[in-house]
């Protein structure tokens, strides 16, 4: 140790030894070394498979991953599973990067492909390992609304609020009128938040938008521009979903002037589903489906996106993202290209959801029972849903949004 401190000897770190082997294109040597650090091997799988030029090298990488899989945490196993599933896409697609503060940016995906045979073999091995760790409940009660909730595989930019789902989750949007809103209350200086909605076509080109510069469109209308909020203020956008001509509706909150999302005293975004007789009421608490705090470092917030399916139904996909924007005067007209590119990368990426774990637990033969609160089981059950039922037999295991991480095997 003292010889190293004096500079007489050189102590090689584990990572430097791996990098030296990869720099020399010694895939077999790097794989053998990484087997002693299973988590690092899993994080390097894509790189090793891209560098492997021979079938011998590819087989060695996959075999090593199969051997050490039982020693890797469940979160990493599922993260790599999700990654490999999305690596089936062709080169030239967009990659989305999101940091822990919710800041997002995109780049072209120029990585070589992962060979299909190795990718499918690894996916099968990871599913087998996950299935081995999952419990086998005798009685499983599922709320169908939870099946498309994305597994919280990381703690990046998780927002708090009412009805908030993890990034990548999908939820049905049903109703005649959709109203989304922003509320903010400035702390010291005049602050102007602008609520906008960008409508995109199926190819992510711009169709139209609603903002303080374009208050009405065929699809809906904007409540108008409020430029300060010393006592708190709100802006609303109403959309008639049946009249929307685009394939995507992207609500966004732009900071035009003043304090940022982390500087204001309070700020949140939400949406309501309303019926025709409620048109004149600005706010109806029982119709609120989601209310999420806005606390990010960017100057443009993208809470979620509404997607139209081929059958005409609408779903919300949760984003929880922030763009850097400009110090002032952010507007939907200026960032629409950036938003479209970011949206393409996110919408076309498939997240692992609760459905994936349920199918592994039950062999894909789950009988999905919609919980109506009326039929109470007479024996303990494992219940997975968005909200905890009022009554379940003693000894039941309940998994909801509050403890969804408990569903991820250790």
């Amino acid at each position: 140790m003292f010889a190293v401190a004096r500079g007489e000897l050189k102590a090689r770190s584990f990572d430097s030894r791996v990098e030296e082997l990869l720099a020399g294109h010694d895939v077999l040597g790097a794989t053998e070394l990484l087997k002693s650090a299973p988590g690092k091997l899993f994080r390097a799988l894509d790189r090793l498979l891209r560098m492997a030029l021979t079938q011998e090298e590819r087989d060695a990488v996959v075999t090593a991953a199969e051997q050490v899989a039982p020693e890797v945490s469940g979160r990493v196993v599922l993260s790599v599973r999700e990654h490999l599933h999305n690596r089936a896409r062709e080169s030239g697609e967009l990659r989305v990067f999101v940091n822990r503060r919710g800041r997002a940016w995109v780049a072209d995906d120029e990585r070589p492909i992962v060979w299909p045979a190795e990718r499918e073999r690894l996916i099968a091995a990871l599913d087998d390992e996950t299935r081995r760790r999952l419990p086998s409940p005798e009685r499983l009660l599922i709320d169908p609304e939870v099946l498309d909730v994305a597994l919280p595989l990381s703690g990046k930019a998780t927002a708090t609020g009412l009805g908030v789902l993890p990034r990548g989750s999908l939820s049905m949007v049903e109703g005649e009128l959709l109203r989304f809103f922003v509320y903010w209350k400035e702390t010291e200086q005049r602050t102007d938040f602008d609520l906008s909605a960008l409508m995109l076509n199926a190819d992510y080109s711009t169709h139209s938008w609603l903002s303080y510069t374009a208050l009405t469109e065929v699809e809906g209308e904007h409540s108008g521009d409020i430029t300060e909020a010393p006592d708190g203020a709100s802006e609303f956008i109403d959309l008639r979903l049946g009249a929307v001509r685009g394939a995507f509706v992207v609500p966004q909150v732009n900071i035009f002037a003043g304090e940022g999302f982390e500087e204001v005293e309070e700020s949140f975004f939400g949406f309501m589903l309303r019926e025709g007789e409620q048109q004149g009421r600005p706010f109806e608490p029982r119709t609120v489906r989601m209310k999420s705090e806005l606390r990010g470092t960017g100057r443009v917030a993208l809470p979620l996106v509404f997607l139209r399916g081929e059958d005409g139904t609408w779903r919300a996909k949760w984003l929880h993202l922030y763009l850097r924007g400009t110090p002032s005067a952010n507007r939907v007209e200026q960032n629409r290209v950036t938003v479209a590119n970011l949206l393409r990368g996110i919408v076309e990426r498939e997240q692992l959801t609760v459905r994936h774990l349920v199918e592994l637990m039950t062999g894909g033969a789950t009988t999905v029972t919609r919980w109506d609160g009326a039929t109470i089981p007479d024996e303990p059950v494992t219940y997975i849903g968005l909200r905890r039922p009022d009554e379940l037999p003693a000894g039941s295991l309940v998994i909801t949004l509050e403890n969804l991480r408990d569903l991820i095997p250790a």
Side-chain angles (χ1 to χ4, degrees):
M1 180 181 67
F2 286 109
V4 171
R6 291 192 298 265
E8 298 171 0
L9 293 176
K10 187 175 182 179
R12 301 290 305 281
S13 70
F14 183 86
D15 289 341
S16 72
R17 293 161 60 197
V18 172
E19 290 299 325
E20 182 180 42
L21 291 169
L22 292 176
H25 213 91
D26 187 356
V27 174
L28 296 177
T31 300
E32 188 62 30
L33 180 58
L34 282 166
K35 285 173 64 176
S36 62
K40 290 183 182 248
L41 172 63
F42 264 55
R43 291 178 174 90
L45 278 177
D46 193 296
R47 184 181 180 187
L48 291 169
L49 289 172
R50 295 197 313 265
M51 293 184 65
L53 300 179
T54 66
Q55 189 62 50
E56 178 190 6
E57 291 175 334
R58 293 194 289 271
D59 287 342
V61 172
V62 175
T63 300
E66 292 171 337
Q67 292 172 348
V68 304
E71 304 174 48
V72 181
S73 73
R75 184 181 63 83
V76 173
V77 168
L78 290 170
S79 296
V80 174
R81 168 63 167 83
E82 180 179 282
H83 171 81
L84 290 171
H85 176 77
N86 286 280
R87 283 290 273 133
R89 298 189 301 171
E90 297 179 358
S91 299
E93 299 288 344
L94 295 175
R95 296 180 69 185
V96 177
F97 301 89
V98 183
N99 65 19
R100 293 188 178 274
R101 306 299 297 275
R103 287 277 292 277
W105 64 98
V106 296
D108 292 333
D109 189 351
E110 299 177 348
R111 296 170 297 178
I113 65 168
V114 174
W115 293 94
E118 284 68 41
R119 187 180 65 83
E120 292 172 8
R121 180 179 162 189
L122 276 172
I123 286 176
L126 299 182
D127 284 349
D128 287 342
E129 178 59 30
T130 303
R131 187 182 295 108
R132 184 185 67 81
R133 302 185 192 189
L134 287 170
S136 301
E138 294 183 5
R139 303 190 66 182
L140 185 61
L141 188 62
I142 301 292
D143 175 2
E145 293 183 358
V146 80
L147 291 176
D148 290 324
V149 172
L151 296 175
L153 299 178
S154 73
K156 294 182 179 179
T158 53
T160 59
L162 168 69
V164 178
L165 302 182
R167 178 182 296 122
S169 300
L170 288 166
S171 56
M172 293 299 298
V173 177
E174 299 173 338
E176 178 184 347
L177 296 174
L178 171 66
R179 164 170 285 184
F180 43 89
F181 57 91
V182 63
Y183 170 87
W184 77 101
K185 184 179 182 183
E186 60 200 46
T187 302
E188 295 180 346
Q189 57 178 305
R190 185 183 74 84
T191 299
D192 181 4
F193 283 10
D194 289 326
L195 179 66
S196 304
L198 178 64
M199 268 73 84
L200 300 176
N201 297 312
D203 62 356
Y204 302 95
S205 61
T206 300
H207 183 282
S208 57
W209 61 80
L210 284 163
S211 69
Y212 76 94
T213 63
L215 295 176
T216 58
E217 273 287 340
V218 172
E219 291 89 345
E221 58 185 351
H222 192 289
S223 61
D225 189 22
I226 298 177
T227 60
E228 58 182 345
D231 301 313
S234 294
E235 291 183 5
F236 299 85
I237 287 181
D238 286 342
L239 282 178
R240 294 178 294 277
L241 291 176
V244 173
R245 292 166 291 176
F248 306 101
V249 177
V250 193
Q252 57 183 266
V253 181
N254 295 278
I255 300 179
F256 191 85
E259 299 162 347
F261 295 115
E262 295 187 328
E263 299 169 325
V264 293
E265 182 177 331
E266 188 179 11
S267 65
F268 56 79
F269 169 91
F271 73 87
M272 298 175 273
L273 296 172
R274 302 160 61 79
E275 302 301 331
E277 62 270 15
Q278 298 165 330
Q279 274 187 298
R281 303 175 187 177
F283 190 82
E284 180 100 14
R286 67 183 179 85
T287 67
V288 174
R289 293 295 179 266
M290 166 269 191
K291 187 183 78 170
S292 172
E293 278 194 316
L294 296 177
R295 295 294 181 188
T297 57
R299 304 288 284 184
V300 179
L302 303 173
L304 47 73
V305 57
F306 297 101
L307 319 172
R308 188 209 297 271
E310 295 181 357
D311 58 356
T313 59
W314 286 89
R315 295 187 297 172
K317 185 162 189 172
W318 302 75
L319 302 179
H320 305 302
L321 298 177
Y322 294 87
L323 303 180
R324 174 180 295 178
T326 57
S328 63
N330 291 285
R331 295 184 298 168
V332 63
E333 299 93 322
Q334 295 173 329
N335 61 40
R336 56 193 176 89
V337 175
T338 301
V339 170
N341 285 335
L342 181 63
L343 189 66
R344 181 194 298 269
I346 290 179
V347 169
E348 296 181 0
R349 179 180 176 83
E350 296 183 37
Q351 277 78 17
L352 284 187
T353 64
V354 173
R355 186 188 305 275
H356 175 70
L357 293 188
V358 168
E359 290 177 349
L360 290 180
M361 275 192 283
T362 61
T366 306
T367 299
V368 177
T369 303
R370 182 175 295 275
W371 176 258
D372 57 8
T375 306
I376 306 298
D378 54 5
E379 297 179 6
V381 298
T382 296
Y383 174 83
I384 306 175
L386 295 180
R387 292 163 292 276
R388 185 185 186 94
D390 292 333
E391 297 183 31
L392 282 177
S396 294
L397 174 62
V398 179
I399 302 292
T400 63
L401 294 179
E402 287 73 21
N403 63 336
L404 189 57
R405 290 182 182 278
D406 294 344
L407 193 60
I408 299 173

